[in-house]
Amino acid sequence: MNEFEDGIQIFAVESGELLEDMESGLLALEDQPGDQEAINSLFRAVHTIKGSAGIVGLDDIERFSHTVEELLDKVREGEIGVTDPLIAVLLRCRDHMSELVKVTLSGQVAPAELLSREFGLVTELREFYTDAPGAGIGAAAGEVEAAPATAQMPGDEDDGSPRAGSDHWHISLRFGLDVMRNGMDPISFISYLDKVGRVTSLTTMTGGLPGSLDAMDPESCYLGFEISLESDLDKQSIEDVFEFVRDDCAIRILPPGARIKSYVGLIGSLPEDPLRLGEILVESGTLTRRELEEALREQGLEGGPEELQAPLGQILLKERVVHEPVIRAALDKQKESANARVKERKTIRVDTEKLDQLINMVGELVISGASIAQHSKRIQDKQLLQSVHMMTRLIEEIREGSMRVRMIPLHDTFNRFKRVLHDISHGLGKEIDLIVMGGDTEMDKNVIERIKDPLMHIVRNAGDHGIEPPEERRAAGKPAQGTVRLNAYQDTSDIVIEIADDGKGLDREALLNKAIAMGLAEEGIPYTDQDVYGFLFAPGFSTAETVTNISGRGVGMDVVRRNIEALRGTVEVESAFGAGTTIRIRLPLTLAIIEGFLVSIADSYYVIPMDTVVECLELTKRDRRESHGRNHVNLRGDILPYIRLGEMFGHAAGGDRKRKSEYIVVVRYAGHVTGLLVERLYGEIQAVIKDLGRVYRDIRGLSGATIMGDGTVALVLDVKTLVNVALEAEDARYTGRSGRSGT
Amino acid sequence: MNIEVTRSDSGAVDVVVGSELNIYGAQEFKDTMLEVMGGGAVSMRLDLSGISEMDTSGFQLLLTLARKCEADGVGLEIVHGPATLSVIDLFHARGMFGLGDRK
């Protein structure tokens, strides 16, 4: 019973992914109806769902998938063209399949409306069969088909050579030595053939068996089979019977009526005596004796007419040497062609808890390694130092590698939004194009899980409220099709996700008025644009006049902002009334281990994230004199403001004037540059960032702490806030407004 | 796998296999057969009627044994059972074991 449940679980996860693939495949096909690769992968997705459903006994799903698969097969063959109505129906079929999976997995009985919807869909699908085949759209003619899973037989090309009159499939199997060691038995595959058709003839090839009992390995498989199979299935389905044994069995399948050349090629590629093989083909009714003789004669045609008359028995035979190397070679070639076709990423499923534990361990390893490095410097043993150096490098690589494991690219997440916008645009009669950039940007899987919904909401808003209907757009002089642009990139230690639309933008007036009406704002105060847009995030705030079906219900921008802030991120809004709106989300990379630059002030150590550091300079007495008491320094002709970190973090001011030298670490964040004044510089360290705990979390300028090799704690600086502090201080100086102080 | 071997003075060997003839006991079966053959058996009666399962491994062993006996002139009588026949029939291999067509 447990195994069964596991099977259902696996099916649930797999089918979820396959249904997603199906959706993106359909949307892609809408844009490019001639994309044969998309059609093929669409077919494969549905085909796999059907098969898996069958295995775990989910008959309803299997049955419906089969119906969809049949239609997709016709599309694949070019008999049905790819059109917008077809895509629309198929999208609904996909949704229905998703419903079916949900209902079936929850153990409920399918509700009546589900069944009637299915009936409706099936009827709609059927209509596509009666249409004339699409003229060339999606047709496979001339385009490359997915390469077969089994070795391509010579002679399958369209060369007009004679075909055999056979009405059955010929399947040739040569199992590799290891098939049973790998857990499979030919018996299962042979018996399964009865389920896909009628085996009219079967010959077990035992030539590979060693002659003596002691020479044979009881766990190796030496058998081969030549099989005639009557079946209505297509080649893919017959190939699929041997899906699990593809790596351990040389498989060749010839369809009914295959070219005679192909059979000759088959015989030539098998290790057994060609005569014997020829006899088998004749006895099984695959070839007539005459067909075989003629073909062989043609193949070996050389020289004079005497050869033409030579009967089969006198044809010179190539020596067949040992069985095994030939099989090995065939298997290798098979693997090659399979690999060449399948560009799928090889993945395995990993329990995220195990992964988190592993990453924690790596963190501990970094700390421990740093400690060892420290002690080894004391001991001054050259070989020890070398080994420690090597170890530190290896730890670094493990750290990077383990961080990367949890990062996944954003494009999968972004692609889901395509469907959302697609539905919105069709539902509201708008035309919306989604452009995705930076899909390769990677983020921690956990974080992605948590921003998916907020992002979805923002995208919906853009489509729902942002982009205007085509008439309105045209009247405003814009192209009828609106664009929503999703962009993601890394900016120093943050990941930035932007959702930009070229819709109607935010009406500052209306927003402010509403805010005043709601008591959130007061009349007469000169709010900045940012302030006004900020009201968007107030709970209960919604300027939509109509609450549409799609968005505006319950989940507000306030929830969005809360979710993002819970991840230590920020949301910014930029807008131009009439032109569009951009929402920018910044999320800190949750890499808990960073490259840092260690500095100190008095007895306290601070770590500055390495990727924010631009350069370091010494602040000489002369520099101090020249700045006239203001916190500036002349950096190659530019004025660089700096922050006295010592002051900011409450170190005693006294020692400053007497110090021989101080240093400024120049850091950059979001394009802004500022200096941090410190006393000592140490250099690069790897820092495992630990959270500061509730008490210290709100201190501006710190993003965590780290334990150094000798056990002392260093505080990790939050460069983003420090830069903001500097900017605010500048603002205050120039506008005379009192800016907030640095805490 | 349990194999019972009874040798008689005349060189006739009686082998009864209980449980199964499959990959798990294949090595043991092979070793036993080698022992029997090496011990100068003149004829062998191999009773497989009681086994519950035979797989490809067992099939191969059986076939190789049969051929070896033929080559060495050792008379081999196999008592078949449903487990052996189902595989033999699946492989259309009755002829290899001197069995007539299915009834």
Side-chain angles (χ1 to χ4, degrees):
Chain A
M1 196 54 203
N2 237 354
E3 266 180 33
F4 181 72
E5 276 167 12
D6 281 342
I8 301 272
Q9 271 306 94
I10 296 178
F11 174 78
V13 178
E14 274 186 8
S15 63
E17 290 174 359
L18 288 166
L19 285 169
E20 271 183 31
D21 286 346
M22 196 180 157
E23 188 177 68
S24 23
L26 283 168
L27 291 175
L29 210 50
E30 204 176 31
D31 280 336
Q32 306 268 48
D35 185 351
Q36 187 66 20
E37 189 45 51
I39 296 175
N40 287 336
S41 46
L42 197 57
F43 176 85
R44 280 198 291 269
V46 178
H47 178 78
T48 309
I49 293 179
K50 177 194 86 169
S52 307
I55 289 178
V56 290
L58 301 175
D59 296 328
D60 290 337
I61 300 175
E62 186 192 5
R63 196 189 50 234
F64 184 71
S65 312
H66 182 66
T67 311
V68 179
E69 181 203 41
E70 277 187 336
L71 181 120
L72 284 173
D73 195 25
K74 292 261 181 284
V75 176
R76 201 165 63 141
E77 298 292 320
E79 289 176 34
I80 296 180
V82 176
T83 58
D84 275 351
L86 180 70
I87 302 269
V89 174
L90 286 174
L91 276 172
R92 272 181 285 132
C93 286
R94 181 224 89 102
D95 289 342
H96 181 74
M97 281 162 79
S98 181
E99 271 296 308
L100 273 180
V101 172
K102 259 193 224 123
V103 166
T104 310
L105 289 178
S106 69
Q108 298 164 8
V109 173
E113 62 165 84
L114 206 62
L115 294 173
S116 73
R117 195 190 314 160
E118 180 162 324
F119 185 71
L121 284 171
V122 172
T123 315
E124 279 189 66
L125 286 175
R126 209 167 286 143
E127 283 174 21
F128 287 96
Y129 285 86
T130 57
D131 286 351
I137 297 178
E143 294 185 47
V144 179
E145 266 185 30
T150 52
Q152 181 76 6
M153 292 307 308
D156 277 0
E157 316 91 55
D158 208 336
D159 62 3
S161 67
R163 291 182 177 278
S166 65
D167 61 351
H168 52 254
W169 295 81
H170 184 84
I171 303 173
S172 169
L173 305 170
R174 293 293 179 280
F175 287 92
L177 288 176
D178 291 329
V179 63
M180 298 184 315
R181 264 184 285 266
N182 288 340
M184 295 168 286
D185 190 317
I187 290 176
S188 358
F189 297 95
I190 308 285
S191 17
Y192 191 76
L193 282 176
D194 272 328
K195 298 207 175 44
V196 300
R198 198 165 72 96
V199 173
T200 54
S201 161
L202 185 149
T203 311
T204 304
M205 312 299 291
T206 58
L209 275 173
S212 67
L213 198 55
D214 48 34
M216 84 172 284
D217 177 354
E219 292 177 9
S220 294
C221 182
Y222 303 94
L223 303 180
F225 300 89
E226 297 294 321
I227 306 170
S228 301
L229 178 77
E230 273 175 15
S231 169
D232 291 328
L233 294 184
D234 65 344
K235 187 155 189 251
Q236 182 75 47
S237 305
I238 298 183
E239 275 175 12
D240 283 347
V241 171
F242 304 99
E243 167 120 11
F244 294 119
V245 84
R246 263 213 298 258
D247 287 340
D248 286 307
C249 180
I251 308 161
R252 294 170 191 83
I253 302 179
L254 294 175
R259 299 188 188 283
I260 297 184
K261 265 172 58 180
S262 307
Y263 289 101
V264 176
L266 175 68
I267 294 175
S269 65
L270 292 170
E272 289 89 1
D273 176 3
L275 268 188
R276 170 94 180 96
L277 291 166
E279 280 303 309
I280 292 176
L281 288 176
V282 169
E283 271 166 25
S284 64
T286 309
L287 293 178
T288 64
R289 189 167 295 284
R290 243 193 68 204
E291 281 172 340
L292 182 63
E293 282 188 9
E294 271 178 25
L296 283 178
R297 214 174 294 142
E298 202 173 307
Q299 290 292 302
L301 183 63
E302 263 171 0
E306 301 81 56
E307 259 94 26
L308 270 172
Q309 304 302 323
L312 199 60
Q314 285 181 14
I315 292 181
L316 278 166
L317 310 167
K318 289 186 220 149
E319 277 294 315
R320 294 286 170 234
V321 199
V322 188
H323 186 98
E324 204 236 316
V326 182
I327 303 295
R328 207 71 324 260
L331 281 175
D332 285 345
K333 224 176 24 161
Q334 205 169 278
K335 225 177 279 187
E336 247 178 59
S337 66
N339 283 342
R341 156 184 75 118
V342 171
K343 277 177 270 173
E344 286 157 17
R345 289 196 315 266
K346 286 211 178 289
T347 55
I348 60 171
R349 285 188 217 293
V350 177
D351 184 341
T352 44
E353 223 180 271
K354 286 187 191 165
L355 194 56
D356 286 343
Q357 276 173 18
L358 188 65
I359 291 181
N360 274 340
M361 287 273 93
V362 173
E364 300 296 321
L365 185 61
V366 167
I367 295 178
S368 173
S371 169
I372 292 179
Q374 195 125 357
H375 293 312
S376 77
K377 283 200 194 104
R378 255 191 310 117
I379 296 175
Q380 291 289 326
D381 176 330
K382 195 151 170 227
Q383 281 175 325
L384 178 62
L385 282 171
Q386 271 180 0
S387 299
V388 168
H389 180 71
M390 178 56 132
M391 179 193 76
T392 310
R393 280 193 35 216
L394 288 172
I395 292 182
E396 164 115 16
E397 282 185 36
I398 295 180
R399 166 183 79 84
E400 276 182 24
S402 62
M403 287 293 123
R404 262 193 301 249
V405 173
R406 227 172 41 184
M407 309 272 274
I408 57 176
L410 276 166
H411 54 61
D412 283 339
T413 310
F414 282 174
N415 280 338
R416 295 162 130 242
F417 301 145
K418 285 194 178 160
R419 180 68 195 277
V420 170
L421 279 176
H422 175 272
D423 288 345
I424 289 179
S425 48
H426 283 220
L428 296 176
K430 299 183 186 176
E431 288 174 38
I432 309 180
D433 188 25
L434 175 68
I435 299 181
V436 168
M437 292 170 16
D440 286 337
T441 310
E442 291 189 340
M443 280 184 68
D444 186 291
K445 186 177 199 295
N446 293 341
V447 176
I448 291 188
E449 277 307 307
R450 290 170 64 181
I451 54 160
K452 256 191 214 163
D453 285 338
L455 281 181
M456 179 88 77
H457 185 81
I458 297 176
V459 170
R460 276 209 186 104
N461 271 350
D464 218 15
H465 307 303
I467 306 278
E468 319 91 320
E471 318 82 54
E472 224 180 281
R473 286 181 68 87
R474 257 183 247 120
K478 293 184 189 173
Q481 188 185 57
T483 306
V484 173
R485 214 184 56 235
L486 279 175
N487 189 12
Y489 54 89
Q490 183 175 347
D491 184 12
T492 56
S493 55
D494 286 344
I495 294 277
V496 181
I497 300 177
E498 286 174 356
I499 303 117
D501 67 66
D502 64 352
K504 59 184 181 220
L506 293 172
D507 184 348
R508 191 184 183 282
E509 282 277 325
L511 275 177
L512 186 53
N513 288 337
K514 174 112 189 211
I516 293 175
M518 282 178 70
L520 297 165
E522 283 173 29
E523 293 254 8
I525 298 188
Y527 292 105
T528 63
D529 284 353
Q530 280 300 317
D531 293 332
V532 177
Y533 298 148
F535 292 128
L536 260 181
F537 295 101
F541 199 100
S542 170
T543 51
E545 280 96 42
T546 55
V547 171
T548 59
N549 193 2
I550 297 171
S551 68
R553 203 185 300 167
V555 181
M557 287 300 276
D558 62 319
V559 175
V560 170
R561 182 162 75 172
R562 223 181 307 138
N563 276 326
I564 291 176
E565 285 183 350
L567 293 165
R568 294 192 301 144
T570 57
V571 194
E572 293 162 16
V573 178
E574 261 176 36
S575 183
F577 190 42
T581 311
T582 299
I583 307 224
R584 195 171 293 120
I585 300 175
R586 280 185 193 277
L587 292 163
L589 280 177
T590 54
L591 294 183
I593 304 182
I594 60 161
E595 303 281 339
F597 190 69
L598 186 65
V599 301
S600 74
I601 300 175
D603 291 332
S604 299
Y605 292 93
Y606 298 90
V607 174
I608 305 171
M610 201 62 203
D611 51 8
T612 62
V613 176
V614 178
E615 59 183 296
C616 304
L617 6 137
E618 191 181 338
L619 184 70
T620 61
K621 277 214 166 79
R622 186 172 154 214
D623 294 320
R624 262 185 256 134
R625 247 186 297 126
E626 284 184 359
S627 66
H628 305 294
R630 271 182 254 132
N631 296 335
H632 286 165
V633 85
N634 184 333
L635 181 61
R636 296 185 292 270
D638 286 324
I639 295 178
L640 176 78
Y642 59 83
I643 300 175
R644 293 179 168 281
L645 280 180
E647 269 177 33
M648 185 168 170
F649 292 130
H651 290 276
D656 270 17
R657 299 290 164 210
K658 299 215 196 96
R659 283 212 73 76
K660 313 156 212 103
S661 56
E662 293 175 294
Y663 296 91
I664 293 184
V665 179
V666 184
V667 293
R668 182 203 331 251
Y669 181 79
H672 298 293
V673 169
T674 196
L676 303 175
L677 184 67
V678 300
E679 289 175 10
R680 272 211 192 88
L681 304 177
Y682 294 93
E684 274 183 57
I685 64 163
Q686 280 179 24
V688 179
I689 305 187
K690 304 242 177 232
D691 244 346
L692 270 173
R694 226 163 267 285
V695 182
Y696 300 98
R697 194 170 289 162
D698 294 326
I699 296 182
R700 268 184 115 198
L702 295 179
S703 67
T706 183
I707 302 177
M708 297 197 297
D710 63 353
T712 30
V713 175
L715 295 173
V716 181
L717 297 179
D718 178 0
V719 174
K720 176 171 79 181
T721 20
L722 291 176
V723 165
N724 280 337
V725 164
L727 287 176
E728 283 166 8
E730 283 301 298
D731 251 356
R733 250 190 288 282
Y734 290 123
T735 64
R737 264 192 358 211
S738 64
R740 303 216 304 262
S741 64
T743 20
Chain B
M1 155 152 333
N2 49 56
I3 315 178
E4 273 178 41
V5 181
T6 331
R7 285 170 236 262
S8 79
D9 299 322
S10 59
V13 183
D14 202 82
V15 182
V16 181
V17 181
S19 59
E20 318 93 10
L21 184 62
N22 57 22
I23 193 169
Y24 300 105
Q27 186 66 43
E28 194 189 329
F29 183 77
K30 172 185 158 179
D31 292 338
T32 310
M33 288 299 110
L34 283 173
E35 216 183 279
V36 167
M37 304 291 279
V42 166
S43 70
M44 171 165 29
R45 182 177 179 274
L46 181 58
D47 188 344
L48 299 172
S49 56
I51 66 171
S52 58
E53 189 207 324
M54 180 169 85
D55 65 2
T56 298
S57 187
F59 173 86
Q60 288 182 153
L61 280 169
L62 211 56
L63 188 59
T64 312
L65 178 68
R67 289 180 176 173
K68 178 167 173 59
C69 285
E70 196 177 315
D72 292 355
V74 175
L76 175 64
E77 181 197 342
I78 302 179
V79 182
H80 289 278
T84 61
L85 288 177
S86 68
V87 179
I88 291 176
D89 281 334
L90 185 70
F91 287 175
H92 291 222
R94 279 195 177 236
M96 296 180 195
F97 291 94
L99 296 169
D101 286 341
R102 247 190 219 159
K103 302 197 197 358

